[in-house]
Amino acid sequence: MTAVAARAKTATQGKPHRLRADALRNRERIIAAARETMVEFGAEVPLDEIARRAGVGNATLYRHFADRQELIHHVTLSVMSRTADRAESALAEESDAFRALRRFVHDAVEERIGALCSLLSDCIDRDHPDLYAARERLEAAIEAVMGAAHDSGQLRTDIAVGDLMVAITQLTRPLPGWGSPRTESGGGCLDFDKFVHRHLQLFLDGLQAPARSQLPGSAVTLEDLRRRS
């Protein structure tokens, strides 16, 4: 821990954890900046760069997050919570169940879950109570969206939640040398997101019933994914 971080941590010990509105805005800006810069540059992006992107000083960052591990923990919580919000909103606001599924899948991409899953999976405590609760809520929200699509008869029967999450993760993970604004000319793609949404649309078309082919193996559940990981 740096001297700045140590001083900030000492200064905040014993104080109530209620944030003023301006402090809350700073905290949210830091988390958002961390999410974006970690996608661009990796989980080891300098904290100074995150603070600069958030428009705050280093001391402000360390007042909220004592170290990189704590920041990654809260980025993960934020992404899971926001993704669950998107799933719940899609199901509540769309009258057509498959349209709700389409909306959720495209919205989930905006949270960068494909890139962040691979970047942060080794940096978090999966058994932390906060992360466990966030994961339970997210899984329930996604299962509800897919359940509604199944019940409507629009989603093919040989697809489960695990299939959906694997596909989203794979299709939205940036290719090496693609998508970063700092990529050297000749290998970069500044509009990578538009390709992601095109490919997701093709994938979603393949999920609709009636199925045009028989898939090998069986539908993958979330429990299957947990066992394999």
Side-chain angles (χ1 to χ4, degrees):
M1 184 184 299
T2 66
V4 173
R7 287 196 298 271
K9 186 174 182 179
T10 299
T12 57
Q13 285 178 341
K15 293 185 178 180
H17 198 61
R18 181 186 299 175
L19 296 177
R20 301 189 313 271
D22 58 339
L24 183 59
R25 284 193 295 271
N26 283 339
R27 184 182 181 86
E28 291 172 348
R29 281 201 295 266
I30 292 167
I31 290 174
R35 183 183 66 211
E36 295 301 321
T37 54
M38 286 176 184
V39 170
E40 290 181 30
F41 306 113
E44 295 303 314
V45 60
L47 297 184
D48 290 355
E49 173 62 20
I50 294 173
R52 186 195 68 77
R53 185 76 65 93
V56 302
N58 291 355
T60 298
L61 186 151
Y62 284 121
R63 273 198 298 273
H64 290 282
F65 307 103
D67 52 30
R68 182 183 305 276
Q69 192 71 27
E70 184 178 353
L71 178 56
I72 287 176
H73 172 83
H74 285 280
V75 168
T76 306
L77 279 176
S78 173
V79 169
M80 294 172 73
S81 176
R82 286 165 58 95
T83 304
D85 287 343
R86 289 180 181 270
E88 291 166 355
S89 295
L91 187 58
E93 296 169 9
E94 298 292 343
S95 58
D96 180 87
F98 201 87
R99 189 178 299 121
L101 177 61
R102 285 187 186 275
R103 171 175 158 180
F104 164 68
V105 169
H106 284 286
D107 284 353
V109 174
E110 302 303 321
E111 297 302 329
R112 309 300 197 208
I113 62 172
L116 289 169
C117 283
S118 58
L119 287 172
L120 306 183
S121 59
D122 294 331
C123 306
I124 60 174
D125 177 6
R126 297 170 185 265
D127 297 323
H128 190 286
D130 291 346
L131 288 175
Y132 181 83
R135 184 170 63 246
E136 289 281 293
R137 180 193 167 209
L138 175 58
E139 291 177 358
I142 298 172
E143 286 174 340
V145 172
M146 290 195 70
H150 272 135
D151 292 344
S152 73
Q154 297 179 80
L155 178 62
R156 53 190 295 169
T157 58
D158 55 353
I159 293 292
V161 178
D163 294 301
L164 181 72
M165 297 313 295
V166 167
I168 292 175
T169 301
Q170 294 298 323
L171 289 172
T172 60
R173 183 177 297 174
L175 298 174
W178 286 62
S180 170
R182 295 193 179 182
T183 301
E184 296 294 333
S185 60
C189 178
L190 297 181
D191 295 322
F192 183 73
D193 281 355
K194 76 177 182 182
F195 292 102
V196 169
H197 287 286
R198 281 174 57 84
H199 297 160
L200 284 173
Q201 194 69 19
L202 287 170
F203 166 69
L204 286 161
D205 286 349
L207 294 186
Q208 287 189 281
R212 297 185 179 183
S213 64
Q214 184 174 353
L215 296 177
S218 58
V220 179
T221 66
L222 290 171
E223 186 59 34
D224 292 332
L225 293 183
R226 279 193 284 267
R227 283 199 299 267
R228 292 172 188 177
S229 63

